[in-house]
Amino acid sequence: MKKIISFIIVAISFALFSCATADGAALVTGTQRSATNPAVVVIYTKAPENYEVIGIVTASSDSGWTEQDDLNYALAELKKQAAKIGANGVILESVSTSNSGGIVSYGVYIPITAKNVSGKAVYVEK
């Protein structure tokens, strides 16, 4: 019976934590454009030439199995938020890690951290 209960707990935990989700937001500070496809949004670490700032975008994720997965999901959400306001690029300004709670498994506390990213949503003239 204990094995069945342990299996159910593990299965429920896996189902809850294996779904890749991220949260994000966009604040329009310039001229909003028609929505673009997130697949065309480029992440820049330095400002490109000939760009117009459309807004500020933020995203966060704690859904990955690793910190890199968390970062990947957060960056994907950042692109979605930028695309919603018509950007084709994001100038990455901040990457940080925060504690987003934790779970107790078999009497052991496991902290959950989130990756947070933010930047300027821009439209780059090509």
Side-chain angles (χ1 to χ4, degrees):
M1 186 65 168
K2 280 187 171 184
K3 288 184 181 183
I4 292 173
I5 292 173
S6 295
F7 176 77
I8 290 171
I9 290 171
V10 170
I12 290 171
S13 296
F14 181 78
L16 288 174
F17 295 106
S18 66
C19 300
T21 59
D23 294 322
L27 173 65
V28 176
T29 60
T31 303
Q32 185 170 349
R33 296 174 176 261
S34 298
T36 60
N37 182 344
V40 302
V41 176
V42 176
I43 302 290
Y44 296 97
T45 56
K46 293 190 291 186
E49 292 184 24
N50 303 321
Y51 70 92
E52 171 190 344
V53 176
I54 297 174
I56 300 167
V57 287
T58 62
S60 178
S61 176
D62 63 1
S63 299
W65 288 103
T66 65
E67 284 192 38
Q68 184 63 54
D69 285 344
D70 289 344
L71 180 59
N72 292 345
Y73 294 136
L75 288 172
E77 181 64 23
L78 196 70
K79 288 181 173 187
K80 287 180 192 174
Q81 294 299 322
K84 285 181 186 179
I85 60 174
N88 63 1
V90 174
I91 302 171
L92 192 61
E93 294 183 323
S94 172
V95 177
S96 65
T97 303
S98 63
N99 186 347
S100 63
I103 60 171
V104 177
S105 178
Y106 296 102
V108 177
Y109 178 77
I110 302 169
I112 298 174
T113 58
K115 284 294 185 182
N116 310 298
V117 292
S118 65
K120 291 180 184 171
V122 297
Y123 184 81
V124 180
E125 296 289 337
K126 298 187 180 192

